Amino acid sequence: MAAFLQWRKFVFFDKDTVKDPVDNGKDFVLPKGISACDSGRGHIVLDVIGLNIWLLTRSLQLTSFQAYKLRVTHLYQLKQHSILVSVGQDEHGINPLVKVWNLDKRDSGNPLCTRIFPAIPGNKPTEVSCLSVHENLNFMAIGFTDGSVVLTKGDITRDRHSKILTLHEGTCPVTGLAFRQVAKVTHLFVATLEKVHCYTLSIKEYPKIELDTHGCALQCSSLADPSQDSQFIVAGDECVYLYQPDERGPCFAFDGHKLLAHWHRGYLFLLIRDVKSPNNRESFPSDKQLLTIYDLDNKFIAYSASFDDVIDVVAEWGSFYILTRDGKMFVLQEKDTQTKLEMLFKKNLFVMAINLAKSQHLDSDGLSEIFRQYGDHLYLKGDHDGAIQQYIRTIGKLEPSYVIRKFLDAQRIHNLTAYLQALHRQSLANADHTTLLLNCYTKLKDSSKLEEFIKSSESEVHFDVEIAIKVLRQAGYHSHAVFLAEKHMHHEWYLKIQLEDLKNYQEGLRYIGRLSFEQAESNMKRYGKTLMHHVPEGTTLLLKGLCTNYKPSEEFIPIFANNPRELKAFLEHMIKVDPSSPQGVYDTLLELRLQDWAHEQDPERKKVLQGEAVFLLRSDNTVFDKALVLCQMHNFKEGVLYLYEKGKLYQQIMHYHMQNEEYGKVVEACKHYGAQEGCLWEQALGYFARKEEDCKAYISEVLHHIDQNNLMPPLLVVQTLAHNSTATLSVIKDYLINKLQRESQQIEDDERKIRQYREETAHLRSEIQELKMSAKIFQKTKCNMCNSPLELPSVHFLCSHSFHQHCFESYAESEAECPTCTPENRKVMDMLRAQDQKRDLHDHFNRQLRGSNDGFSVVADYFGRGVFNKLTLVTDPPGSKTIGSLDVNLQRDVLIHTKRNS
């Protein structure tokens, strides 16, 4: 429970009396007799005692319209729709009526009333006590003084699309209703004078939960916004309670008799009856009312003031308005965030300022400035630990030198170290910051922090490594400097420290032997004399290697020279813990596994070793050429075939099977890889043709595929099989018969097409002759476009199509072309143009001729395009006749003769 007296009070609102826009010197006066009001959609709605509803606009213009014949009792203005719901009476007695008004539509100058229905629970005459409407217009709840709640479900603006039911019954008057919508779940909170309930409306049975055994008075409940998780607020005389749909939430000890409770834009508004000072012995209640605005998130009072007889507090037009019964209207305008922060800064309330800034969604620059001011405040107080924590929060916004200058004193080196560490963690440190941090570590002699800093993983290095090596070397931390140099491959610094500072010549020589040739060569030129003086034998050996066949040493493999079993175990461990080990590790391990496989006699164990070797090949860590040589040396068939396939060496796969005389595997290889390399079938046929043993079955299968895919000319097939003494005519009998039958069928098809084309050509020629020599009689009686009887004027074409002139003009693309024949004619013309364009594509013709299985068809195709019809020789004298299309042989002879003489 949050104690009221612990909360600080501020004046975060400016109070003014609303002035009359017509007469600026006078206060604006509201109509007398206001009993209820609400706001939304750009206006304030007033319920003045009587039969009218009043609307107040932003320009303080008052308009009214008659809503009931007797009086208005309740109003509810939706915030997201221009829909107003009212309760009132049109006749005497207890007959409350609900009316739904659309304020955007007009009916004889007044808002349009879209629905009217009686508000009586179960035909029992009882007064309405409160009203609430869901913003989605699908729910309306009406509370009554007899403890009943009526729920309207469906479209509240129409009668036929909604249904009414009694949701709640009780004996105590209903004082508050509120809908809560989170995601797709809808709840209805019901408050009475004695209890608080919650109904789940998104479940068909409308389950109910009793949340508390005490309630509140009228207007003393409200629904918070999502910043408070849309909790239901109930203001009792001693405390303010917040409720979730299934349980009671936090409780705040705000004492006093509550007259009003509202939640507006993140603030809780409470109106209580003001009591005179306890110093007065006659502690009688006064007529004053105390309005207090609470910020529940940040635990402070944003405003508090006394008013006379408040009717309600509404939020509209960016401000809050207090309406009183004497007709006055006050406005509370919230101060801007910067002004609030400055007020908090003056009181050194920096924690509260930070919380306020976050709740107001202040940007990172603004927050950083608050952290800086808070840090300065703590620094001046002498709280250097607290100050550095605030300065750390400014990293990325505040210049680091501002903070560093404050903590350069030796007594504050711990704080400076913490700041510099944070600067490095965020990768915002430069070389000077790294130098300073390492000097801090060395001054503090904090070896553990120093090691933690320099031994971070590769992905967590937030400093300049070379700068760090220099600083550590200068400070005498040679071991740390050597570690960094070796880890981050700064070879020159590593050798400089080992040989010049630590005089560790043997280690320096070993390190050089691990480097690449270029790096080893340059460092030997630099340190060769020194190394030769101190370790002459090792230096001589290394120089020999550099001058002959130098390879960087695999450090520990030579140790296992005579222990292959232990070497294999070591290498398997290496690739397990470090899959990115050098390729030499994988190549050596592959060789060891293949050796074990080759010498193993047990079939089961041999199969296991085979799987291990194949697994290593599939890991893609071995060198292809080396792996292939190793597999061939050990006759490791599975590995050889896998590598051939991986390298797309399909002919080698087939030749491998040929060498092992695996006839079935040869055919399978052709089937698998023949699509990638068509020559495999031809090679297979030649292979089986050279075999003297009986291979008729395999030859027949190969011939079948060759025949199906037309891979070889029949003459070449016969010549290939002529080398095999066992391959008789019966082997290729079926192949030749099928081939001859297909060619005979093709010849018949071609002759049939020739006859057809000749007949069609003769028919076309006769038609052309007839059109040229004789008159054309048009006897069409219907239009070919609209199929209606022809009427003059009409258009006729020689193709026997006729059209109305208006149809022809509507659909024809050209005056000289028949609209019906144009699409087909256009296709023919496009084909002719394409053929003309390809007549001189000699390179294209040659490529097609070389790549085609049937060269005669290619020549015939080009012959049909007229490629060979006409040949003009450069040597022809001007004016001579061009050789005609009938003297083709003469053209060829002349061309050949010309080429030979040229």
Side-chain angles (χ1 to χ4, degrees):
M1 180 181 293
F4 167 74
L5 296 177
Q6 296 175 351
W7 290 31
R8 288 183 174 270
K9 295 183 180 180
F10 301 98
V11 183
F12 284 167
F13 289 84
D14 294 323
K15 171 190 169 187
D16 288 310
T17 304
V18 177
K19 300 298 181 180
D20 193 323
V22 178
D23 188 351
N24 292 330
K26 292 184 179 180
D27 296 341
F28 179 73
V29 179
L30 293 167
K32 292 185 179 180
I34 298 175
S35 59
C37 63
D38 204 351
S39 65
R41 304 298 289 181
H43 54 250
I44 296 175
V45 188
L46 304 175
D47 172 11
V48 181
I49 294 176
L51 47 84
N52 287 349
I53 294 176
W54 294 73
L55 301 177
L56 179 63
T57 64
R58 186 168 191 171
S59 60
L60 301 182
Q61 297 295 318
L62 272 169
T63 59
S64 66
F65 65 92
Q66 182 177 346
Y68 293 88
K69 296 179 180 179
L70 292 181
R71 64 190 181 102
V72 184
T73 59
H74 295 81
L75 295 173
Y76 192 96
Q77 171 64 54
L78 277 80
K79 304 300 184 287
Q80 300 176 14
H81 305 275
S82 294
I83 299 295
L84 173 67
V85 180
S86 62
V87 179
Q89 291 184 338
D90 280 344
E91 57 186 22
H92 294 285
I94 304 176
N95 298 300
L97 282 178
V98 177
K99 294 187 179 182
V100 181
W101 307 87
N102 188 331
L103 301 181
D104 287 341
K105 297 182 180 180
R106 294 286 164 175
D107 181 14
S108 301
N110 294 330
L112 176 64
C113 182
T114 63
R115 185 182 182 189
I116 303 175
F117 66 93
I120 298 177
N123 296 323
K124 295 183 294 183
T126 179
E127 296 286 355
V128 173
S129 58
C130 55
L131 170 70
S132 183
V133 182
H134 198 297
E135 288 292 335
N136 65 8
L137 300 178
N138 283 331
F139 292 105
M140 181 195 303
I142 307 169
F144 296 88
T145 56
D146 69 346
S148 302
V149 175
V150 170
L151 178 70
T152 300
K153 183 178 180 181
D155 189 349
I156 65 164
T157 63
R158 301 180 183 181
D159 286 320
R160 64 176 181 173
H161 294 298
S162 64
K163 62 178 181 179
I164 302 174
L165 56 95
T166 301
L167 180 70
H168 179 81
E169 292 183 340
T171 58
C172 198
V174 178
T175 56
L177 297 168
F179 289 100
R180 180 182 189 266
Q181 184 73 44
V182 177
K184 295 183 179 180
V185 181
T186 307
H187 293 98
L188 174 64
F189 290 100
V190 178
T192 67
L193 289 174
E194 296 179 350
K195 293 183 180 181
V196 178
H197 296 89
C198 181
Y199 288 85
T200 304
L201 302 183
S202 51
I203 300 177
K204 190 174 182 180
E205 293 77 15
Y206 306 142
K208 177 180 71 171
I209 296 178
E210 183 178 300
L211 298 175
D212 220 331
T213 55
H214 58 77
C216 63
L218 282 171
Q219 292 188 299
C220 290
S221 63
S222 184
L223 189 72
D225 57 31
S227 67
Q228 286 291 332
D229 200 17
S230 301
Q231 298 183 91
F232 186 54
I233 301 171
V234 173
D237 286 345
E238 296 180 354
C239 298
V240 172
Y241 301 92
L242 275 67
Y243 297 93
Q244 294 279 2
D246 55 352
E247 62 180 355
R248 194 172 82 180
C251 172
F252 299 92
F254 300 150
D255 199 6
H257 179 63
K258 311 297 187 302
L259 302 175
L260 186 72
H262 277 316
W263 183 274
H264 291 306
R265 294 204 300 269
Y267 290 110
L268 173 63
F269 289 71
L270 286 182
L271 184 69
I272 64 173
R273 182 174 291 120
D274 195 6
V275 181
K276 289 184 178 180
S277 171
N279 294 329
N280 190 346
R281 293 183 179 179
E282 297 179 354
S283 183
F284 298 107
S286 69
D287 294 333
K288 292 286 185 181
Q289 297 171 345
L290 183 64
L291 177 65
T292 308
I293 305 176
Y294 297 93
D295 186 325
L296 299 186
D297 276 338
N298 299 306
K299 305 295 187 295
F300 64 78
I301 297 172
Y303 183 78
S304 184
S306 294
F307 293 89
D308 293 324
D309 209 3
V310 175
I311 298 172
D312 208 343
V313 179
V314 295
E316 196 62 35
W317 310 315
S319 301
F320 302 112
Y321 293 87
I322 297 105
L323 285 65
T324 61
R325 296 197 185 279
D326 59 1
K328 290 185 179 181
M329 188 174 178
F330 300 93
V331 58
L332 294 179
Q333 292 182 329
E334 188 174 3
K335 298 179 186 295
D336 61 81
T337 302
Q338 192 59 41
T339 303
K340 295 180 190 176
L341 293 176
E342 290 174 358
M343 295 171 65
L344 295 173
F345 294 157
K346 290 178 181 178
K347 298 182 180 181
N348 294 326
L349 299 175
F350 292 98
V351 175
M352 188 171 288
I354 292 169
N355 294 333
L356 176 64
K358 289 181 178 178
S359 66
Q360 298 287 326
H361 304 292
L362 197 66
D363 60 18
S364 56
D365 291 332
L367 279 172
S368 178
E369 178 61 21
I370 300 174
F371 296 142
R372 183 196 65 79
Q373 294 188 42
Y374 191 17
D376 291 347
H377 170 71
L378 295 175
Y379 183 85
L380 292 174
K381 286 176 59 179
D383 184 4
H384 298 123
D385 293 340
I388 206 66
Q389 293 304 316
Q390 299 306 316
Y391 287 136
I392 287 174
R393 301 168 81 176
T394 67
I395 290 176
K397 300 296 180 181
L398 181 64
E399 174 60 40
S401 59
Y402 178 88
V403 180
I404 292 172
R405 285 196 299 268
K406 291 178 178 290
F407 292 91
L408 283 176
D409 191 303
Q411 295 179 349
R412 299 168 191 160
I413 195 169
H414 291 281
N415 304 128
L416 180 59
T417 303
Y419 180 78
L420 292 170
Q421 284 175 334
L423 202 62
H424 281 79
R425 279 195 298 270
Q426 298 188 33
S427 300
L428 295 173
N430 57 28
D432 294 331
H433 300 146
T434 301
T435 303
L436 188 56
L437 177 58
L438 291 172
N439 283 326
C440 288
Y441 285 140
T442 56
K443 293 286 185 184
L444 293 171
K445 300 188 184 302
D446 193 344
S447 297
S448 61
K449 285 286 186 182
L450 181 59
E451 289 188 5
E452 180 184 346
F453 179 73
I454 68 172
K455 291 185 178 180
S456 57
S457 65
E458 290 286 345
S459 60
E460 296 175 354
V461 174
H462 306 293
F463 57 89
D464 188 316
V465 175
E466 189 169 1
I467 292 294
I469 293 172
K470 290 180 181 179
V471 175
L472 291 171
R473 184 191 183 203
Q474 186 176 3
Y477 284 78
H478 295 111
S479 61
H480 295 80
V482 164
F483 171 82
L484 270 183
E486 183 175 16
K487 178 181 179 182
H488 298 282
M489 302 179 70
H490 286 267
H491 308 307
E492 292 186 1
W493 281 106
Y494 182 88
L495 293 170
K496 186 187 291 290
I497 298 170
Q498 289 284 14
L499 299 177
E500 297 179 12
D501 299 335
L502 299 177
K503 312 298 182 182
N504 194 345
Y505 304 110
Q506 191 65 45
E507 174 59 28
L509 187 64
R510 181 198 65 81
Y511 191 84
I512 293 174
R514 295 170 51 194
L515 302 178
S516 65
F517 176 80
E518 292 79 8
Q519 293 170 333
E521 181 186 25
S522 64
N523 282 289
M524 282 303 291
K525 289 179 180 178
R526 183 175 184 180
Y527 297 107
K529 289 184 179 181
T530 303
L531 291 171
M532 184 62 71
H533 178 72
H534 293 280
V535 280
E537 293 182 2
T539 305
T540 302
L541 288 174
L542 181 56
L543 287 172
K544 288 179 179 179
L546 284 170
C547 294
T548 53
N549 187 19
Y550 175 75
K551 293 182 180 177
S553 59
E554 292 291 344
E555 292 185 66
F556 303 112
I557 289 180
I559 298 175
F560 299 93
N562 298 317
N563 302 85
R565 185 174 64 182
E566 288 75 11
L567 176 59
K568 181 182 177 185
F570 169 73
L571 296 177
E572 287 177 342
H573 173 74
M574 284 297 298
I575 66 171
K576 181 177 181 181
V577 298
D578 185 14
S580 60
S581 297
Q583 287 184 330
V585 173
Y586 285 91
D587 294 334
T588 306
L589 181 57
L590 176 62
E591 184 175 4
L592 292 171
R593 287 184 176 179
L594 290 176
Q595 288 176 357
D596 290 348
W597 174 83
H599 293 93
E600 184 59 51
Q601 300 298 324
D602 182 16
E604 294 296 328
R605 177 62 182 162
K606 196 176 184 73
K607 187 174 182 180
V608 173
L609 293 173
Q610 173 183 312
E612 292 178 353
V614 172
F615 175 78
L616 202 60
L617 290 172
R618 293 182 185 276
S619 67
D620 294 331
N621 289 306
T622 55
V623 179
F624 179 84
D625 296 337
K626 291 182 180 179
L628 184 57
V629 170
L630 288 172
C631 291
Q632 289 173 340
M633 285 173 55
H634 294 86
N635 196 22
F636 186 53
K637 177 181 178 181
E638 287 74 12
V640 171
L641 292 176
Y642 168 75
L643 292 172
Y644 280 158
E645 184 174 7
K646 179 181 177 182
K648 297 183 179 179
L649 304 174
Y650 305 128
Q651 293 193 43
Q652 281 79 350
I653 293 176
M654 194 173 70
H655 292 159
Y656 185 86
H657 292 311
M658 290 177 177
Q659 291 173 2
N660 294 298
E661 296 189 346
E662 298 172 330
Y663 300 155
K665 295 292 182 66
V666 171
V667 177
E668 287 182 9
C670 291
K671 291 179 179 178
H672 284 122
Y673 313 115
Q676 287 86 349
E677 287 197 38
C679 64
L680 294 182
W681 289 105
E682 185 176 344
Q683 294 177 12
L685 183 63
Y687 169 73
F688 289 122
R690 290 189 294 271
K691 291 294 179 182
E692 292 301 324
E693 59 264 32
D694 189 3
C695 297
K696 292 181 180 180
Y698 300 110
I699 293 175
S700 297
E701 188 171 0
V702 172
L703 280 175
H704 175 71
H705 284 277
I706 290 175
D707 186 27
Q708 290 294 320
N709 299 284
N710 198 20
L711 299 176
M712 294 174 64
L715 184 59
L716 183 58
V717 171
V718 173
Q719 291 174 347
T720 302
L721 291 177
H723 300 289
N724 191 314
S725 61
T726 62
T728 60
L729 186 61
S730 61
V731 177
I732 60 172
K733 175 184 174 183
D734 294 336
Y735 166 76
L736 293 175
I737 290 174
N738 291 334
K739 199 74 175 175
L740 292 172
Q741 284 178 345
R742 279 201 300 273
E743 291 185 356
S744 298
Q745 183 64 40
Q746 184 65 42
I747 291 170
E748 292 178 3
D749 293 340
D750 291 343
E751 288 178 347
R752 185 175 61 256
K753 287 182 179 179
I754 290 170
R755 289 193 299 271
Q756 179 185 346
Y757 293 155
R758 284 177 175 169
E759 292 173 359
E760 291 177 356
T761 303
H763 177 69
L764 290 173
R765 284 175 176 167
S766 65
E767 284 189 1
I768 293 170
Q769 187 66 21
E770 184 179 354
L771 289 172
K772 287 181 177 180
M773 304 301 295
S774 60
K776 178 71 174 180
I777 300 174
F778 299 103
Q779 296 180 341
K780 277 280 189 176
T781 60
K782 291 186 178 181
C783 174
N784 283 91
M785 195 64 66
C786 66
N787 208 27
S788 300
L790 277 175
E791 297 176 356
L792 295 178
S794 59
V795 180
H796 305 273
F797 284 90
L798 293 176
C799 57
S800 299
H801 293 135
S802 301
F803 309 93
H804 293 115
Q805 184 172 354
H806 62 272
C807 290
F808 174 75
E809 292 174 350
S810 300
Y811 291 97
E813 298 180 9
S814 170
E815 294 183 357
E817 291 183 321
C818 171
T820 304
C821 299
T822 295
E824 192 63 32
N825 292 342
R826 189 165 296 165
K827 291 180 183 178
V828 175
M829 296 304 296
D830 289 342
M831 291 171 61
L832 292 175
R833 278 193 293 269
Q835 289 180 355
D836 288 340
Q837 290 173 1
K838 294 182 179 179
R839 286 179 61 178
D840 297 326
L841 298 179
H842 304 295
D843 294 339
H844 182 70
F845 167 70
N846 290 329
R847 282 197 301 271
Q848 277 192 293
L849 189 61
R850 287 194 298 268
S852 175
N853 294 323
D854 188 0
F856 183 78
S857 298
V858 176
V859 175
D861 180 36
Y862 274 79
F863 191 87
R865 298 180 188 177
V867 175
F868 308 108
N869 286 354
K870 181 179 180 180
L871 180 64
T872 302
L873 299 179
V874 179
T875 56
D876 288 349
S880 62
K881 294 184 179 179
T882 304
I883 300 176
S885 59
L886 298 178
D887 296 330
V888 178
N889 294 329
L890 179 59
Q891 293 180 45
R892 184 187 55 168
D893 294 340
V894 172
L895 180 60
I896 294 173
H897 180 71
T898 304
K899 286 184 177 180
R900 287 176 179 174
N901 293 336
S902 60

